[in-house]
Amino acid sequence: SWQKYFINFIRIAIFIVMAWIGGLKAFQYEADGIVPFVTNSPFMSFFYNNTGKTAVDEKGNTVSEYRKKTVGGNITYGRVRSEYVSDYVTLETKKTKYLSHEGGPYNYDAWRKAAGAASVYKNYIDNNFGQTNSLTWSHVFDNRDNIYDPTRGKRLSFTGVWAGHGLGGDFDYFKFIAENRLYYKVGVKHVIAVRLMAGAATGDMPYNDLFTLGGADTIRGYEDDEFRGNKMYSATIEYRFPIAKKVQGV
């Protein structure tokens, strides 16, 4: 009967959705991974490309959108100091370029050439786009039982970033980050995950290098990178439980 077909259809639909969610979690792949499929779809790309070129910040204010391009590279050297302790040093160089204004109230490229524009808008591109050369050191203690899907143990890290200050580039700043992840097994396959983070920065740091919070990698339930600033702290507690094979609920 049609009810039987409908029930089978619902089961298949639920399976596809849960498999997709499980894949996003298993590979630490944000929901932004859907965007290439949408933009390349003959049908859905119309809606994606015609939804307007403005965005809203965490306070509900309309902000501008623009296109940018970042190119660069990095090289990392790691050293294992003991069974659970490692150090990493990363040398990175990147260049971010402002391409064009897409929408919203602030056209920084036009204001850059306007004689009467306020300096905060007139110099926005010069203050936030350019070359950044940095050296990053990380000290990590990690005794988790599984780095991809841990059920017990902890990961404690301290990171310092040295940008400019003799390394060249257009920006000079320092960043310091501390993070602690704790995992407690409850029952057979249930896990309580605790994450504590804090960071502070000083110097002329561009907008793209500010601390960011929001999204599945930091605070679930918020837009990706919804919060930005030169200081940050975050504390989260999650209860993780299995739904199906390789599919986990949080």
Side-chain angles (χ1 to χ4, degrees):
S1 65
W2 67 268
Q3 290 181 336
K4 182 179 180 180
Y5 289 112
F6 178 76
I7 292 174
N8 289 334
F9 172 78
I10 294 299
R11 287 176 177 173
I12 295 173
I14 293 175
F15 173 79
I16 293 174
V17 171
M18 299 308 296
W20 178 262
I21 294 174
L24 293 178
K25 183 167 184 64
F27 298 99
Q28 294 295 312
Y29 191 57
E30 283 286 355
D32 283 343
I34 299 173
V35 171
F37 298 100
V38 175
T39 56
N40 292 321
S41 167
F43 176 72
M44 292 302 295
S45 61
F46 171 82
F47 297 98
Y48 183 83
N49 293 323
N50 291 276
T51 54
K53 297 296 184 179
T54 59
V56 179
D57 63 14
E58 65 275 10
K59 297 181 180 179
N61 301 318
T62 301
V63 295
S64 295
E65 286 190 339
Y66 51 79
R67 295 177 60 245
K68 66 179 181 180
K69 180 180 180 180
T70 301
V71 294
N74 62 67
I75 183 171
T76 298
Y77 170 77
R79 181 182 179 184
V80 178
R81 298 181 58 183
S82 66
E83 182 179 2
Y84 301 123
V85 179
S86 301
D87 288 304
Y88 303 92
V89 176
T90 300
L91 182 63
E92 180 180 73
T93 180
K94 63 181 180 180
K95 186 172 184 179
T96 304
K97 183 179 180 181
Y98 182 97
L99 297 179
S100 63
H101 174 72
E102 292 293 295
Y106 307 124
N107 188 335
Y108 299 113
D109 191 34
W111 287 357
R112 188 182 189 183
K113 306 169 185 176
S119 60
V120 65
Y121 302 123
K122 186 178 182 68
N123 300 324
Y124 180 85
I125 295 179
D126 294 332
N127 292 338
N128 291 281
F129 294 86
Q131 184 82 28
T132 303
N133 299 328
S134 64
L135 183 67
T136 301
W137 168 77
S138 296
H139 180 72
V140 180
F141 173 88
D142 191 348
N143 68 349
R144 295 174 296 174
D145 58 345
N146 188 312
I147 62 174
Y148 300 108
D149 188 20
T151 61
R152 57 168 60 93
K154 70 176 181 179
R155 185 185 188 278
L156 177 63
S157 65
F158 300 95
T159 303
V161 181
W162 174 309
H165 293 290
L167 296 177
D170 301 313
F171 307 103
D172 301 313
Y173 62 86
F174 297 104
K175 293 176 72 175
F176 306 95
I177 307 126
E179 180 183 23
N180 192 15
R181 303 186 185 190
L182 306 169
Y183 302 90
Y184 304 94
K185 192 171 184 179
V186 181
V188 180
K189 295 183 179 181
H190 293 219
V191 178
I192 295 177
V194 180
R195 187 180 186 184
L196 307 172
M197 292 191 303
T202 179
D204 59 331
M205 187 165 50
Y207 179 82
N208 296 306
D209 289 346
L210 294 172
F211 293 110
T212 60
L213 291 175
D217 287 338
T218 53
I219 305 179
R220 301 180 191 274
Y222 290 88
E223 296 289 338
D224 293 340
D225 304 337
E226 183 169 340
F227 307 102
R228 288 179 181 263
N230 56 9
K231 296 179 182 178
M232 71 90 180
Y233 61 90
S234 171
T236 60
I237 300 178
E238 296 181 348
Y239 186 82
R240 302 176 180 178
F241 55 93
I243 296 177
K245 187 177 180 179
K246 295 187 178 181
V247 179
Q248 190 178 66
V250 179

